[in-house]
Amino acid sequence: MTHAYTSANYATITRTLILWLLSNLGGTLWLLLDFAYTRLDDYPIALMVGLTAALASLAIVPLVVPFFLLMGRLRADWPRRTMALTGIILFFLLINLLLLDLIPMNSLGELLPFSLPYGVAAVLGVLWLYGPARHVAAPSRRSA
């Protein structure tokens, strides 16, 4: 199934890459501060977790355009912010399941302290990217 890439799709891809960058930088910075706070020598652990999270979440990025196309068909009346938050939550759960297979953790409870900063950073990124200040007003139609 082939999809025509419109300017809206390119904007979605651009916002997704910005969101990917913000969530990975924000989550890694949070973990870096958390690990270095108790013991400064533990900062490489946070950097390795950040690298693993960035690589794992990059695999999800190509699913974003089909997700928005599907959500647009199923819930056309939802605002893009709501669709993006729904996507972040679903993709966050998917990434956590993927990470459970990639890293030596026994349960989601053990993984959550490492992945939660990335989820919070992604939600904050969505709220910033799709916030009211980011909306471009549609041109008004005046009847002549």
Side-chain angles (χ1 to χ4, degrees):
M1 184 170 169
T2 307
H3 299 288
Y5 281 91
T6 63
S7 62
N9 290 350
Y10 286 120
T12 299
I13 292 169
T14 302
R15 284 185 178 198
T16 301
L17 289 174
I18 291 169
L19 182 60
W20 174 81
L21 181 67
L22 289 175
S23 64
N24 282 293
L25 288 176
T28 302
L29 180 63
W30 181 338
L31 281 180
L32 188 65
L33 293 173
D34 188 34
F35 276 79
Y37 178 72
T38 56
R39 186 170 168 197
L40 191 58
D41 293 341
D42 286 344
Y43 77 91
I45 297 170
L47 295 178
M48 290 307 295
V49 169
L51 179 63
T52 304
L55 291 175
S57 63
L58 190 58
I60 298 294
V61 170
L63 299 176
V64 171
V65 172
F67 171 79
F68 272 110
L69 289 173
L70 180 65
M71 288 296 290
R73 289 188 184 130
L74 295 176
R75 299 287 183 197
D77 57 338
W78 281 12
R80 288 187 63 85
R81 176 191 260 184
T82 304
M83 282 194 279
L85 286 172
T86 302
I88 285 296
I89 293 167
L90 291 174
F91 290 140
F92 179 74
L93 294 173
L94 182 63
I95 283 291
N96 280 309
L97 292 176
L98 178 65
L99 283 174
L100 277 176
D101 290 336
L102 292 175
I103 58 177
M105 297 269 179
N106 294 327
S107 69
L108 192 60
E110 290 179 9
L111 179 62
L112 204 55
F114 294 100
S115 66
L116 190 61
Y118 295 94
V120 170
V123 167
L124 292 174
V126 165
L127 294 176
W128 178 71
L129 282 173
Y130 293 97
R134 293 286 191 174
H135 291 283
V136 177
S140 61
R141 294 183 184 180
R142 293 181 186 221
S143 53

